[in-house]
mmCIF file of all heavy atoms in Angstrom:
data_model
loop_
_atom_site.group_PDB
_atom_site.id
_atom_site.type_symbol
_atom_site.label_atom_id
_atom_site.label_comp_id
_atom_site.label_asym_id
_atom_site.label_seq_id
_atom_site.Cartn_x
_atom_site.Cartn_y
_atom_site.Cartn_z
ATOM 1 N N LEU A 1 -35.357 123.557 93.044
ATOM 2 C CA LEU A 1 -36.164 124.153 92.003
ATOM 3 C C LEU A 1 -35.363 125.240 91.408
ATOM 4 O O LEU A 1 -34.938 126.171 92.102
ATOM 5 C CB LEU A 1 -37.467 124.653 92.598
ATOM 6 C CG LEU A 1 -38.529 125.170 91.623
ATOM 7 C CD1 LEU A 1 -39.016 124.012 90.713
ATOM 8 C CD2 LEU A 1 -39.697 125.745 92.385
ATOM 9 N N TYR A 2 -35.167 125.187 90.092
ATOM 10 C CA TYR A 2 -34.278 126.133 89.363
ATOM 11 C C TYR A 2 -35.168 127.142 88.651
ATOM 12 O O TYR A 2 -36.042 126.792 87.879
ATOM 13 C CB TYR A 2 -33.391 125.441 88.395
ATOM 14 C CG TYR A 2 -32.180 124.801 89.023
ATOM 15 C CD1 TYR A 2 -32.341 123.679 89.836
ATOM 16 C CD2 TYR A 2 -30.893 125.303 88.854
ATOM 17 C CE1 TYR A 2 -31.238 123.068 90.459
ATOM 18 C CE2 TYR A 2 -29.837 124.692 89.503
ATOM 19 C CZ TYR A 2 -29.973 123.589 90.279
ATOM 20 O OH TYR A 2 -28.913 123.033 90.893
ATOM 21 N N TYR A 3 -34.876 128.431 88.825
ATOM 22 C CA TYR A 3 -35.574 129.528 88.225
ATOM 23 C C TYR A 3 -34.665 130.323 87.277
ATOM 24 O O TYR A 3 -33.479 130.568 87.596
ATOM 25 C CB TYR A 3 -36.076 130.530 89.277
ATOM 26 C CG TYR A 3 -37.072 129.966 90.291
ATOM 27 C CD1 TYR A 3 -36.608 129.491 91.510
ATOM 28 C CD2 TYR A 3 -38.429 129.933 90.055
ATOM 29 C CE1 TYR A 3 -37.481 128.993 92.419
ATOM 30 C CE2 TYR A 3 -39.278 129.478 90.965
ATOM 31 C CZ TYR A 3 -38.804 128.983 92.169
ATOM 32 O OH TYR A 3 -39.726 128.515 93.123
ATOM 33 N N CYS A 4 -35.196 130.836 86.201
ATOM 34 C CA CYS A 4 -34.504 131.847 85.428
ATOM 35 C C CYS A 4 -35.083 133.193 85.776
ATOM 36 O O CYS A 4 -36.280 133.283 86.181
ATOM 37 C CB CYS A 4 -34.496 131.593 83.909
ATOM 38 S SG CYS A 4 -36.111 131.755 83.132
ATOM 39 N N ALA A 5 -34.273 134.236 85.744
ATOM 40 C CA ALA A 5 -34.674 135.566 86.195
ATOM 41 C C ALA A 5 -34.119 136.595 85.204
ATOM 42 O O ALA A 5 -33.000 136.551 84.746
ATOM 43 C CB ALA A 5 -34.151 135.836 87.577
ATOM 44 N N LYS A 6 -34.946 137.629 84.914
ATOM 45 C CA LYS A 6 -34.591 138.727 84.093
ATOM 46 C C LYS A 6 -34.014 139.856 84.875
ATOM 47 O O LYS A 6 -34.616 140.305 85.862
ATOM 48 C CB LYS A 6 -35.861 139.220 83.343
ATOM 49 C CG LYS A 6 -35.634 140.510 82.593
ATOM 50 C CD LYS A 6 -36.950 141.116 82.131
ATOM 51 C CE LYS A 6 -36.703 142.520 81.513
ATOM 52 N NZ LYS A 6 -36.307 143.522 82.579
ATOM 53 N N GLY A 7 -32.813 140.267 84.521
ATOM 54 C CA GLY A 7 -32.165 141.393 85.143
ATOM 55 C C GLY A 7 -32.855 142.723 84.793
ATOM 56 O O GLY A 7 -33.634 142.796 83.860
ATOM 57 N N VAL A 8 -32.515 143.740 85.531
ATOM 58 C CA VAL A 8 -33.056 145.117 85.303
ATOM 59 C C VAL A 8 -32.179 145.982 84.423
ATOM 60 O O VAL A 8 -32.546 147.119 84.119
ATOM 61 C CB VAL A 8 -33.385 145.803 86.581
ATOM 62 C CG1 VAL A 8 -34.398 145.001 87.431
ATOM 63 C CG2 VAL A 8 -32.145 146.083 87.439
ATOM 64 N N ARG A 9 -31.008 145.488 84.068
ATOM 65 C CA ARG A 9 -30.033 146.226 83.317
ATOM 66 C C ARG A 9 -29.240 145.268 82.432
ATOM 67 O O ARG A 9 -29.265 144.074 82.626
ATOM 68 C CB ARG A 9 -29.155 147.038 84.235
ATOM 69 C CG ARG A 9 -28.343 146.239 85.207
ATOM 70 C CD ARG A 9 -27.620 147.129 86.254
ATOM 71 N NE ARG A 9 -28.475 147.286 87.451
ATOM 72 C CZ ARG A 9 -28.981 148.433 87.845
ATOM 73 N NH1 ARG A 9 -28.791 149.516 87.109
ATOM 74 N NH2 ARG A 9 -29.698 148.463 88.935
ATOM 75 N N PRO A 10 -28.410 145.768 81.488
ATOM 76 C CA PRO A 10 -27.670 144.863 80.600
ATOM 77 C C PRO A 10 -26.551 144.113 81.303
ATOM 78 O O PRO A 10 -26.188 142.978 80.868
ATOM 79 C CB PRO A 10 -27.057 145.827 79.523
ATOM 80 C CG PRO A 10 -27.912 147.012 79.561
ATOM 81 C CD PRO A 10 -28.317 147.170 80.979
ATOM 82 N N LEU A 11 -26.031 144.667 82.364
ATOM 83 C CA LEU A 11 -24.849 144.052 83.075
ATOM 84 C C LEU A 11 -25.367 143.450 84.383
ATOM 85 O O LEU A 11 -26.380 143.811 84.916
ATOM 86 C CB LEU A 11 -23.821 145.099 83.327
ATOM 87 C CG LEU A 11 -23.323 145.919 82.129
ATOM 88 C CD1 LEU A 11 -22.202 146.872 82.580
ATOM 89 C CD2 LEU A 11 -22.886 145.053 80.964
ATOM 90 N N LEU A 12 -24.555 142.551 84.945
ATOM 91 C CA LEU A 12 -24.796 141.935 86.199
ATOM 92 C C LEU A 12 -24.251 142.866 87.315
ATOM 93 O O LEU A 12 -23.172 143.405 87.149
ATOM 94 C CB LEU A 12 -24.150 140.615 86.337
ATOM 95 C CG LEU A 12 -24.656 139.503 85.422
ATOM 96 C CD1 LEU A 12 -23.739 138.291 85.479
ATOM 97 C CD2 LEU A 12 -26.073 139.095 85.867
ATOM 98 N N VAL A 13 -25.011 143.029 88.338
ATOM 99 C CA VAL A 13 -24.593 143.792 89.482
ATOM 100 C C VAL A 13 -24.808 142.920 90.735
ATOM 101 O O VAL A 13 -25.887 142.375 90.907
ATOM 102 C CB VAL A 13 -25.364 145.126 89.682
ATOM 103 C CG1 VAL A 13 -25.032 145.820 90.956
ATOM 104 C CG2 VAL A 13 -25.116 146.058 88.470
ATOM 105 N N PHE A 14 -23.751 142.812 91.556
ATOM 106 C CA PHE A 14 -23.834 141.984 92.716
ATOM 107 C C PHE A 14 -23.869 142.782 93.979
ATOM 108 O O PHE A 14 -22.963 143.654 94.215
ATOM 109 C CB PHE A 14 -22.594 141.029 92.760
ATOM 110 C CG PHE A 14 -22.518 140.120 91.518
ATOM 111 C CD1 PHE A 14 -21.739 140.546 90.435
ATOM 112 C CD2 PHE A 14 -23.219 138.969 91.478
ATOM 113 C CE1 PHE A 14 -21.647 139.728 89.318
ATOM 114 C CE2 PHE A 14 -23.152 138.155 90.344
ATOM 115 C CZ PHE A 14 -22.374 138.524 89.264
ATOM 116 N N ARG A 15 -24.885 142.625 94.774
ATOM 117 C CA ARG A 15 -25.027 143.408 95.977
ATOM 118 C C ARG A 15 -25.769 142.547 97.002
ATOM 119 O O ARG A 15 -26.271 141.505 96.696
ATOM 120 C CB ARG A 15 -25.769 144.711 95.725
ATOM 121 C CG ARG A 15 -27.198 144.520 95.218
ATOM 122 C CD ARG A 15 -27.699 145.863 94.694
ATOM 123 N NE ARG A 15 -29.155 145.898 94.664
ATOM 124 C CZ ARG A 15 -29.881 146.775 94.000
ATOM 125 N NH1 ARG A 15 -29.233 147.756 93.343
ATOM 126 N NH2 ARG A 15 -31.204 146.774 94.033
ATOM 127 N N THR A 16 -25.819 143.051 98.255
ATOM 128 C CA THR A 16 -26.425 142.227 99.365
ATOM 129 C C THR A 16 -27.861 141.875 99.030
ATOM 130 O O THR A 16 -28.227 140.698 99.177
ATOM 131 C CB THR A 16 -26.384 143.092 100.639
ATOM 132 O OG1 THR A 16 -25.001 143.407 100.950
ATOM 133 C CG2 THR A 16 -26.960 142.253 101.780
ATOM 134 N N ASP A 17 -28.648 142.820 98.580
ATOM 135 C CA ASP A 17 -30.042 142.518 98.208
ATOM 136 C C ASP A 17 -30.112 142.200 96.733
ATOM 137 O O ASP A 17 -30.748 142.889 95.929
ATOM 138 C CB ASP A 17 -30.957 143.692 98.562
ATOM 139 C CG ASP A 17 -31.024 143.977 100.036
ATOM 140 O OD1 ASP A 17 -30.949 143.004 100.831
ATOM 141 O OD2 ASP A 17 -31.158 145.173 100.417
ATOM 142 N N TRP A 18 -29.463 141.056 96.410
ATOM 143 C CA TRP A 18 -29.283 140.716 94.971
ATOM 144 C C TRP A 18 -30.632 140.486 94.278
ATOM 145 O O TRP A 18 -30.698 140.741 93.040
ATOM 146 C CB TRP A 18 -28.401 139.492 94.842
ATOM 147 C CG TRP A 18 -28.996 138.181 95.407
ATOM 148 C CD1 TRP A 18 -28.827 137.709 96.663
ATOM 149 C CD2 TRP A 18 -29.815 137.291 94.683
ATOM 150 N NE1 TRP A 18 -29.526 136.538 96.815
ATOM 151 C CE2 TRP A 18 -30.103 136.238 95.610
ATOM 152 C CE3 TRP A 18 -30.312 137.199 93.387
ATOM 153 C CZ2 TRP A 18 -30.889 135.124 95.255
ATOM 154 C CZ3 TRP A 18 -31.052 136.103 93.011
ATOM 155 C CH2 TRP A 18 -31.320 135.069 93.952
ATOM 156 N N GLU A 19 -31.646 140.056 94.936
ATOM 157 C CA GLU A 19 -32.956 139.812 94.302
ATOM 158 C C GLU A 19 -33.520 141.070 93.700
ATOM 159 O O GLU A 19 -34.356 140.985 92.758
ATOM 160 C CB GLU A 19 -33.926 139.178 95.275
ATOM 161 C CG GLU A 19 -33.505 137.764 95.729
ATOM 162 C CD GLU A 19 -34.468 137.164 96.715
ATOM 163 O OE1 GLU A 19 -35.707 137.412 96.553
ATOM 164 O OE2 GLU A 19 -34.060 136.540 97.658
ATOM 165 N N ASP A 20 -33.107 142.257 94.214
ATOM 166 C CA ASP A 20 -33.645 143.500 93.668
ATOM 167 C C ASP A 20 -33.138 143.788 92.294
ATOM 168 O O ASP A 20 -33.623 144.720 91.612
ATOM 169 C CB ASP A 20 -33.310 144.651 94.611
ATOM 170 C CG ASP A 20 -34.023 144.599 95.895
ATOM 171 O OD1 ASP A 20 -35.052 143.883 95.977
ATOM 172 O OD2 ASP A 20 -33.609 145.293 96.844
ATOM 173 N N GLU A 21 -32.102 143.048 91.826
ATOM 174 C CA GLU A 21 -31.562 143.210 90.471
ATOM 175 C C GLU A 21 -32.351 142.465 89.403
ATOM 176 O O GLU A 21 -32.015 142.465 88.273
ATOM 177 C CB GLU A 21 -30.135 142.741 90.438
ATOM 178 C CG GLU A 21 -29.137 143.743 91.003
ATOM 179 C CD GLU A 21 -29.032 144.977 90.162
ATOM 180 O OE1 GLU A 21 -28.778 144.871 88.913
ATOM 181 O OE2 GLU A 21 -29.128 146.120 90.702
ATOM 182 N N TYR A 22 -33.464 141.736 89.839
ATOM 183 C CA TYR A 22 -34.258 141.005 88.919
ATOM 184 C C TYR A 22 -35.727 141.316 89.129
ATOM 185 O O TYR A 22 -36.229 141.403 90.238
ATOM 186 C CB TYR A 22 -34.040 139.481 89.171
ATOM 187 C CG TYR A 22 -32.548 139.168 89.049
ATOM 188 C CD1 TYR A 22 -31.688 139.203 90.124
ATOM 189 C CD2 TYR A 22 -32.027 138.850 87.808
ATOM 190 C CE1 TYR A 22 -30.315 138.974 89.979
ATOM 191 C CE2 TYR A 22 -30.664 138.621 87.628
ATOM 192 C CZ TYR A 22 -29.813 138.670 88.736
ATOM 193 O OH TYR A 22 -28.491 138.447 88.580
ATOM 194 N N ASP A 23 -36.408 141.558 88.005
ATOM 195 C CA ASP A 23 -37.832 141.980 88.080
ATOM 196 C C ASP A 23 -38.803 140.976 87.613
ATOM 197 O O ASP A 23 -40.024 141.126 87.838
ATOM 198 C CB ASP A 23 -37.990 143.333 87.409
ATOM 199 C CG ASP A 23 -37.593 143.356 85.923
ATOM 200 O OD1 ASP A 23 -37.091 142.321 85.429
ATOM 201 O OD2 ASP A 23 -37.742 144.400 85.292
ATOM 202 N N TYR A 24 -38.370 139.882 86.950
ATOM 203 C CA TYR A 24 -39.288 138.837 86.504
ATOM 204 C C TYR A 24 -38.638 137.504 86.718
ATOM 205 O O TYR A 24 -37.430 137.325 86.512
ATOM 206 C CB TYR A 24 -39.744 139.033 85.073
ATOM 207 C CG TYR A 24 -40.651 140.191 84.840
ATOM 208 C CD1 TYR A 24 -40.148 141.423 84.424
ATOM 209 C CD2 TYR A 24 -42.010 140.082 85.037
ATOM 210 C CE1 TYR A 24 -40.978 142.516 84.263
ATOM 211 C CE2 TYR A 24 -42.870 141.140 84.896
ATOM 212 C CZ TYR A 24 -42.314 142.367 84.515
ATOM 213 O OH TYR A 24 -43.150 143.462 84.304
ATOM 214 N N TRP A 25 -39.445 136.522 87.120
ATOM 215 C CA TRP A 25 -39.006 135.151 87.339
ATOM 216 C C TRP A 25 -39.889 134.121 86.688
ATOM 217 O O TRP A 25 -41.110 134.330 86.527
ATOM 218 C CB TRP A 25 -39.016 134.926 88.879
ATOM 219 C CG TRP A 25 -38.131 135.818 89.682
ATOM 220 C CD1 TRP A 25 -38.391 137.150 89.980
ATOM 221 C CD2 TRP A 25 -36.848 135.509 90.215
ATOM 222 N NE1 TRP A 25 -37.305 137.667 90.698
ATOM 223 C CE2 TRP A 25 -36.446 136.673 90.916
ATOM 224 C CE3 TRP A 25 -36.101 134.341 90.286
ATOM 225 C CZ2 TRP A 25 -35.193 136.720 91.588
ATOM 226 C CZ3 TRP A 25 -34.911 134.388 91.002
ATOM 227 C CH2 TRP A 25 -34.451 135.573 91.611
ATOM 228 N N GLY A 26 -39.321 133.060 86.281
ATOM 229 C CA GLY A 26 -40.056 131.956 85.740
ATOM 230 C C GLY A 26 -40.745 131.132 86.825
ATOM 231 O O GLY A 26 -40.633 131.456 88.040
ATOM 232 N N GLN A 27 -41.447 130.120 86.447
ATOM 233 C CA GLN A 27 -42.148 129.262 87.340
ATOM 234 C C GLN A 27 -41.271 128.217 87.995
ATOM 235 O O GLN A 27 -41.660 127.620 89.027
ATOM 236 C CB GLN A 27 -43.343 128.624 86.697
ATOM 237 C CG GLN A 27 -43.033 127.307 85.914
ATOM 238 C CD GLN A 27 -42.246 127.513 84.637
ATOM 239 O OE1 GLN A 27 -42.027 128.605 84.170
ATOM 240 N NE2 GLN A 27 -41.708 126.378 84.084
ATOM 241 N N GLY A 28 -40.126 127.972 87.448
ATOM 242 C CA GLY A 28 -39.195 127.021 87.989
ATOM 243 C C GLY A 28 -39.269 125.633 87.323
ATOM 244 O O GLY A 28 -40.308 125.251 86.829
ATOM 245 N N THR A 29 -38.142 124.894 87.302
ATOM 246 C CA THR A 29 -38.114 123.544 86.846
ATOM 247 C C THR A 29 -37.296 122.697 87.879
ATOM 248 O O THR A 29 -36.288 123.139 88.352
ATOM 249 C CB THR A 29 -37.501 123.421 85.434
ATOM 250 O OG1 THR A 29 -37.594 122.053 84.969
ATOM 251 C CG2 THR A 29 -36.073 123.874 85.421
#
């Protein structure tokens, strides 16, 4: 199931708790 996700900032940040960099998610396809 593939989801799109909105970041919390203009740039990508990669860290251990990566899900915390996204605040909204779609329903999935």
